[in-house]
Amino acid sequence: MSANIHPSAPSTPTPDTRHLEKSLRNKQSLFSFAMSAVVGMLTILALVPLFSVVLMLFYRGGKSLSFALFYELPPGPMQEGGGFGNAILGTVVMVGIAAAIAVPMGVLAALFLAETAPDSRLAKTVRFCGKVLTGFPSILAGVFAYGAVVLLTGGFSAVAGGVALSILMLPTVMLTAEEALRMVPLKMKEAAIGMGATDFQCVWMVLLPTSLPGILTGVMLAVARAAGETAPLLFTALFSNYWISAGGNVELMQPTASLAVLIYNFSGVPFQNQVELAWAAALVLVLLVLTVNLIGQAISRRRID
Amino acid sequence: MSISQPPTSGQRTANKAFRLSTFAFAWLSVALVVYIVCMITWEAIPAFREHGLGFITGTTWDANTGEYGILPEIWGTLYSSLLALLIGTVFGVSVAIFLTEGFLSGGVFALLKALHLQYHPLWGRLPEQLEHLLKNLVELLAAIPSVVYGLWGIFVVIPMIRPVANYLHEALGWFPAFGTPLSGPGLLPASLVLAIMILPTIAAISRDALNAVPNKLREAAYGMAATRWEAILYVILPTSATGLFGAVVLAFGRALGETMALAMLVGNANVISVSLFSPANTLAALLANNFPEAGQKEVGVLMYAALVLLAITLIVNIIGAAILQRASKNLEEVR
């Protein structure tokens, strides 16, 4: 082309731009391409377990899923049929107890962190404790509840399970609530204070309503996590083959079944029916956890809009 | 009554009560952590008096003879966690790089461009949406309860790797890591599942670390004709190295304390072996298996084991948090 534009200057050679183009013959580009391929493959491989788990859950759990599972009691070793109604109820009750402890405590501590004294030394200590609890092994929450509740009251109970779960919920609730409270625009707070609101009125009528979606998201995440926890329930709530409520009144001070412990107990047995039940329970548990998770995310997405 | 009025005494009291209660609950959350540590220590004291430090180096666990030692459990905990960490880091950091350095969105964009769809109102948003979807899928890995992973490990992972493991044992049995056959549960399946469980942690924190690298550093590298991977290897990774290291340490803390997947997959055998296929035991699994039926004496010993686990995880977690804090401070200097 350049020869046509400059016919009078044939002596100027066409600059050779081939070495500037991207070509896999170039060692650098080849290396870059190879690394990209490797990272892409590793990323895809990392997602294989997720799909495998979900597939197996629907394949093996979906097979034995029936309506009777939700209201019948767990079967014995050689029995046919049965369900895990008491385990679902137990999980709901224990997560409810845990939320009743962790949510007020977490939100009030978060209010201290975000409002009352955000920069005090106590606030720093509280945040540090929150982080320590975030990385706290769940089995140790069970050990604590065993020592604090089971040894004290003299038996395994739903309350002990709830206490153990509440320790795992507390940091999530507290740290996300603090984050949500800090997201409230300063001008809203200033407007409330400018109108002569006391701190309490400002928090109750402006801060909490505005940050409610964020706080609820944190609560939902914590509930989802607690519902799937097994280790803290193994030796606090133990397991039970019977309903938590006997003749209308709920017995919170006796061993209580939960979905997670049922899966654990039935996973290691040689009885086909119980293993199938464990898969069905796993499917129900995962769907439960994912639903709560998605609700939490939907709430926080509405806040951004 | 005028429109504006000073707070009534009732409102003043409510305000005071509110401030006091936030203060009280802040103290309560600190007290809770102190109480947890003290209670476990207190319950462990009798066993500590009886067994002393020999408990940590002892290798037998027999409730009948009253002989207790947790060296095999400490060994199993460290071995399985480090192995899981190795696998989880390779995959987790890869996922983080893949997500932050625009591989997916860049690739999809190039594809759309070839089809002249890159500014299409619907298709044009695909790169962004796919990246968002991938991020959520990785986070979904963290949402699945560990007991479900354990169940999946028993019925999927073990049958899958067993032929491979036994072939490796027969062919390369002289190599210590392949020294025993895989008869069912063992260290390798447990570590594999553990790696999957800590992968989202590593990916999420590494993603934050890579995102925190200022864009001007990337642009400077590309401006000097670095290829994408030269920029990643020589500029982006070294800049975010502290953050990545923090991610690895925090994931290590999670792996050490993880219970269910290990209790279901590791085999619960009191042996110290370098073989990947040998059954083993971990501190958390020991607690999970022995606590429900423990007599009064054994509870004390188990509390001692819990105290050891608490000490290890606390130290690792505090180191990890400190590293992450330093990482964010370092990056502020770069800015």
Side-chain angles (χ1 to χ4, degrees), chain A:
Chain A
M1 289 293 265
S2 61
N4 291 339
I5 297 165
H6 305 288
S8 57
S11 59
T12 337
T14 318
D16 184 14
T17 56
R18 269 175 304 175
H19 70 283
L20 291 177
E21 280 167 19
K22 196 171 169 185
S23 152
L24 287 187
R25 249 173 261 149
N26 185 331
K27 236 203 256 158
Q28 280 175 306
S29 315
L30 186 68
F31 174 71
S32 199
F33 179 79
M35 285 298 279
S36 300
V38 167
V39 164
M41 291 249 296
L42 288 178
T43 306
I44 293 168
L45 265 180
L47 289 176
V48 167
L50 179 68
F51 291 114
S52 170
V53 168
V54 171
L55 217 75
M56 282 302 284
L57 279 177
F58 277 101
Y59 173 64
R60 291 203 63 168
K63 214 168 45 180
S64 47
L65 205 62
S66 72
F67 193 65
L69 292 179
F70 293 92
Y71 58 79
E72 288 202 8
L73 290 172
M78 302 298 275
Q79 271 175 310
E80 286 299 307
F84 39 72
N86 62 338
I88 296 177
L89 186 68
T91 296
V92 171
V93 166
M94 282 190 283
V95 172
I97 294 173
I101 300 170
V103 172
M105 192 169 160
V107 172
L108 276 167
L111 279 171
F112 177 84
L113 293 180
E115 280 306 303
T116 313
D119 300 318
S120 62
R121 195 180 294 170
L122 176 59
K124 274 181 197 135
T125 319
V126 172
R127 271 188 214 110
F128 176 75
C129 287
K131 273 185 195 147
V132 167
L133 280 183
T134 311
F136 197 65
S138 57
I139 184 105
L140 290 181
V143 172
F144 165 72
Y146 184 89
V149 184
V150 174
L151 288 184
L152 218 65
T153 58
F156 303 108
S157 64
V159 173
V163 167
L165 291 181
S166 73
I167 290 165
L168 299 170
M169 286 178 72
L170 180 67
T172 318
V173 173
M174 186 168 85
L175 298 176
T176 47
E178 191 203 348
E179 199 82 355
L181 286 167
R182 281 176 183 279
M183 297 276 271
V184 176
L186 195 63
K187 58 185 175 193
M188 293 182 76
K189 219 172 84 184
E190 282 166 351
I193 293 170
M195 288 170 74
T198 61
D199 284 350
F200 175 63
Q201 285 168 328
C202 174
V203 165
W204 186 248
M205 293 174 176
V206 178
L207 275 179
L208 279 182
T210 320
S211 57
L212 192 64
I215 295 176
L216 275 182
T217 302
V219 171
M220 287 296 186
L221 288 180
V223 164
R225 187 188 162 195
E229 282 292 354
T230 319
L233 299 179
L234 279 176
F235 42 89
T236 52
L238 214 66
F239 192 75
S240 154
N241 279 324
Y242 307 101
W243 290 96
I244 190 172
S245 54
N249 50 333
V250 178
E251 291 275 345
L252 290 182
M253 294 316 290
Q254 64 179 21
T256 308
S258 56
L259 274 177
V261 177
L262 178 128
I263 298 170
Y264 175 62
N265 285 348
F266 284 1
S267 69
V269 295
F271 308 108
Q272 190 62 23
N273 185 34
Q274 290 190 340
V275 171
E276 291 306 322
L277 214 64
W279 277 102
L283 178 64
V284 171
L285 182 62
V286 166
L287 289 180
L288 195 80
V289 167
L290 288 189
T291 313
V292 176
N293 248 324
L294 287 180
I295 292 173
Q297 277 178 17
I299 295 171
S300 75
R301 199 165 302 137
R302 225 183 57 200
R303 175 189 53 175
I304 293 163
D305 292 346

Side-chain angles (χ1 to χ4, degrees), chain B residues 129-242:
Chain B
Q129 285 170 341
L130 277 180
E131 209 153 73
H132 194 70
L133 177 74
L134 184 60
K135 186 184 138 243
N136 282 341
L137 280 179
V138 174
E139 276 171 15
L140 211 59
L141 274 174
I144 292 175
S146 58
V147 68
V148 176
Y149 276 123
L151 187 69
W152 175 73
I154 292 176
F155 290 98
V156 179
V157 176
I158 291 180
M160 206 171 67
I161 64 170
R162 208 160 140 189
V164 184
N166 286 339
Y167 171 77
L168 278 175
H169 167 63
E170 270 163 36
L172 299 162
W174 51 269
F175 190 62
F178 305 137
T180 58
L182 184 72
S183 55
L187 258 171
L188 186 65
S191 301
L192 277 178
V193 174
L194 194 54
I196 296 165
M197 299 179 67
I198 59 172
L199 190 146
T201 312
I202 299 182
I205 306 178
S206 309
R207 220 171 59 89
D208 289 345
L210 291 174
N211 269 334
V213 174
N215 242 342
K216 61 180 182 191
L217 289 185
R218 281 192 188 91
E219 283 155 11
Y222 290 140
M224 289 172 74
T227 61
R228 201 204 293 262
W229 272 96
E230 283 166 344
I232 292 172
L233 289 178
Y234 301 127
V235 178
I236 297 165
L237 285 185
T239 316
S240 54
T242 326

Side-chain angles (χ1 to χ4, degrees), chain B residues 299-319:
Chain B
V299 165
V301 185
L302 286 168
M303 286 285 182
Y304 190 2
L307 186 66
V308 174
L309 179 63
L310 178 69
I312 298 175
T313 47
L314 262 189
I315 292 167
V316 170
N317 276 327
I318 289 172
I319 292 174

